[in-house]
Amino acid sequence: YDAARERSPRYLRESGIAANIATVIEPDSVILDAPVGTGRLLDLLVDAGHSVVGIDISEDMLAVAAQRESVRTGAATLQSGDLEKLGLEDNSVDYTFCVRFLNWVPPLVMGNIIQEFARVSSKGVVIQVRFTRAITGRELLVGAAKKAKRRIFRFGPWKMMLRRILKPGSRQSTTGQDYIVHERQEVISTLALAGLEVTGEWFVDKR
């Protein structure tokens, strides 16, 4: 699962962007990685000087993530949980990172999840989402800070164009699941409803 993905240029770009964001935010931050999956971000975030809580609903994924160095040393912890009902207190983490997930859920569920991220995060969230802008689909890592807070994220140099034009709606993945391309304004409005404002966008895909 990881071996094939880790060789892809897209995977490397995602990791590079996440690593750069991790170095911009305050040292010693507490970060929620949700869903944590196999833990691809855990060591990266810990190496940047943060402590991490990883949550996933899949016990199989958590078992793989438990083999990461950061978990074995105690710098990162793991727990089972539902992203729509995180078992965490309000403002109990500084930031939440969510990569490669929100395009697999419908808008209503995305809204519930982002509300939970905003509830538990005292400073901001970083989400990856593919949405439409005019007629061109783009996949981004989006930084959003809580309103009335100072701007934490800044635009990065990763202005990369998508390989293909995508239209709003869904398409079938190789696993048979619906991959949903969200409307840009829908994403922005969902963040706003959660009390978040976009403070940075980093383009993942390129031609």
Side-chain angles (χ1 to χ4, degrees):
Y1 181 85
D2 279 335
R5 291 189 173 199
E6 288 172 359
R7 292 192 296 269
S8 77
R10 180 170 173 267
Y11 184 103
L12 295 174
R13 285 194 296 272
E14 290 170 346
S15 298
I17 294 171
N20 276 278
I21 295 172
T23 62
V24 170
I25 62 180
E26 300 91 333
D28 300 317
S29 291
V30 179
I31 297 176
L32 169 64
D33 181 5
V36 68
T38 59
R40 61 173 289 197
L41 295 183
L42 292 178
D43 292 349
L44 178 155
L45 295 172
V46 167
D47 288 345
H50 309 297
S51 57
V52 188
V53 179
I55 292 180
D56 205 292
I57 201 168
S58 168
E59 296 294 341
D60 290 340
M61 291 289 191
L62 290 172
V64 176
Q67 304 305 310
R68 300 282 180 177
E69 178 68 19
S70 54
V71 178
R72 295 201 303 267
T73 62
T77 59
L78 302 173
Q79 57 183 272
S80 177
D82 184 341
L83 300 196
E84 291 187 82
K85 296 179 180 179
L86 294 168
L88 300 175
E89 299 292 330
D90 294 358
N91 300 314
S92 56
V93 302
D94 295 309
Y95 299 95
T96 294
F97 278 58
C98 179
V99 173
R100 286 199 181 191
F101 182 72
L102 293 177
N103 288 107
W104 297 106
V105 296
L108 179 60
V109 175
M110 178 178 69
N112 293 340
I113 290 171
I114 289 177
Q115 287 281 351
E116 275 292 89
F117 289 167
R119 180 184 67 79
V120 303
S121 305
S122 64
K123 296 177 180 177
V125 304
V126 177
I127 62 172
Q128 182 179 13
V129 61
R130 188 186 299 274
F131 59 64
T132 59
R133 170 182 270 172
I135 62 170
T136 304
R138 298 170 185 261
E139 184 137 8
L140 302 144
L141 282 174
V142 178
K146 284 200 170 180
K147 289 182 178 177
K149 297 285 186 180
R150 67 185 179 86
R151 288 179 179 263
I152 299 150
F153 306 105
R154 300 187 185 279
F155 285 84
W158 304 278
K159 302 289 184 177
M160 301 175 180
M161 297 295 293
L162 182 65
R163 294 188 185 93
R164 65 178 69 87
I165 292 176
L166 290 171
K167 295 182 179 180
S170 65
R171 59 182 171 83
Q172 283 285 311
S173 72
T174 55
T175 63
Q177 293 178 283
D178 281 337
Y179 183 93
I180 299 170
V181 182
H182 297 293
E183 294 280 359
R184 175 182 170 82
Q185 190 53 50
E186 179 179 63
V187 176
I188 302 304
S189 297
T190 298
L191 290 167
L193 285 171
L196 299 165
E197 60 180 347
V198 175
T199 55
E201 295 178 345
W202 297 267
F203 294 98
V204 173
D205 296 298
K206 71 176 183 179
R207 287 190 197 281

